[in-house]
Amino acid sequence: MRDRRGEPRAPGGDPDEAGLRPVVAALLRYGVLASAVAMLVGLLMLLIQVGPGAFVSMPRIRAPEATDLTSLRAVLRDLLPPEPEAVMEAGVLMLIATPVVTVGASAVAFALERDWLYVVLSGSVFAVLILGFVLGRSIALRGG
Amino acid sequence: MFFAVFLVSVVAGIGGAILGLGGGIIIVPVLTLLLGIPIRFAIGASIVAVIATSGASASAYIRDRLTNLRIGIALEVVTTLGALLGAVIAGRVSPRWLYVIFGLLLAYSAIALLGRLKIELPGEVPYDPLARRLGFSGEYYDQALGRRVPYTATGVIPAAAMMIVAGISSGLLGIGSGLFKVLAMDVGMRLPMKVSTSTSNFMVGVTAAASAGVYFSRGDIHPAIAAPIALGVLAGARAGTRMMEHMRNTTIRKLFIPVLAIVAASMILRGLSVR
């Protein structure tokens, strides 16, 4: 009972999100889980390297120094051999990427359901998100 | 210190998951005022916390059919554009008057919500052709009421206007995105409160991701601050989703109004205070 032209839907029918829901829920779930594991591992590495003292003073950012982990390349570089901070930041990056990937995947899921209006809508959100990252880099590099 | 931050994050996660917010309104003041962390790292950590709350709560709400994905995605088009606009005009306009204007908007909404305090479900709403064209309807099983609740949206245009405000607010001021979203859906589109908050939970993560690039490239997202907070918020949000699903819509609204009033007052005060 799919409806693409605004015809009244079958009563009680969930508006054809049957294919979309499990995909989006699973992507969010596993994206969050993977990033949580990375952040936990990073914290454990810090505990082993620095000792429990690291947690007493943490977060120890009184001196306003920006992290130098400001690009994917910088984070990847510090992962070999793994630095605790880079492992945590990799987790943070996975977390940030999770909604972006989710929106992109929902565009694909809508395409599979041939719901072109929503392919356009989720595609535009995805485009704005990517634009945000590109603009974000240039704004940041300008020192804005 | 670590455990204090962790505990605050757990509370922010619970509150955010129940009320459809990101939790930045708790994280930023606690980090800056109580722990003396510079504002830029506080905002950077808060962006990450918002995405964490959103991911953890939305994955549960989407599975349980509370979140309406179509409504979330369609309204995200205007919200992310608003967020981008906010980020671009940041630094060109003084945020002072925006704090006052947005604060007044929230205060007005708090009063408007008081009139809806006793409304458990919206019932029949006026027909909106745009809502039908966009497929803004659905059904969820309400665990507190013990029955299925079908719903349809109305007033899509005013809600979309409010979503632009939500986007600008989050891109420019870093807060308020979830509050405006819940208001747009509850007052504007007259969706059941749980559908409004859980759809907002899904949306705030996407909106925050739109501006995360700026903060990350600037070096504001410090792993030593952001990671413990994100972990605390994740734990809190998981607990919060379980609590919310068993609450009544009226209970959630009762919890929402004081938060709204406090944020409105602090926004107005911040705008009026001489710097």
Side-chain angles (χ1 to χ4, degrees), chain A residues 62-124:
Chain A
R62 293 218 172 240
E65 54 185 59
T67 171
D68 52 2
L69 300 168
T70 57
S71 66
L72 204 53
R73 195 183 299 160
V75 175
L76 290 176
R77 192 186 53 219
D78 281 7
L79 282 176
L80 290 170
E83 298 269 332
E85 297 225 325
V87 176
M88 285 192 266
E89 192 79 339
V92 170
L93 280 183
M94 278 190 252
L95 196 58
I96 296 175
T98 298
V100 183
V101 172
T102 306
V103 170
S106 54
V108 176
F110 280 123
L112 291 176
E113 296 190 1
R114 300 175 176 279
D115 188 338
W116 305 120
L117 173 62
Y118 272 87
V119 172
V120 171
L121 290 175
S122 42
S124 354

Side-chain angles (χ1 to χ4, degrees), chain A residues 6 9 12 14-17 21 32 43 55-56 58 61-62 65 67 69-70 89 95 115 118 137 144, chain B residues 1-2 35 41 51 62 65 67 70 132 134-137 139 206 216-219 221 223-225 231 234:
Chain A
R9 299 171 192 283
D14 190 46
D16 49 15
E17 288 173 355
R21 267 178 200 279
V32 165
L43 281 174
F55 288 84
V56 179
M58 213 171 131
I61 322 292
R62 293 218 172 240
E65 54 185 59
T67 171
L69 300 168
T70 57
E89 192 79 339
L95 196 58
D115 188 338
Y118 272 87
R137 264 207 96 60
Chain B
M1 191 84 138
F2 175 80
L35 301 176
F41 298 125
I51 298 177
I62 290 169
R65 300 177 166 268
T67 299
R70 279 165 190 272
R132 187 161 114 169
L134 290 165
F136 280 7
S137 60
E139 190 178 72
V206 181
F216 172 68
S217 307
R218 247 186 229 158
I221 298 183
I225 307 173
L231 287 170
L234 285 177

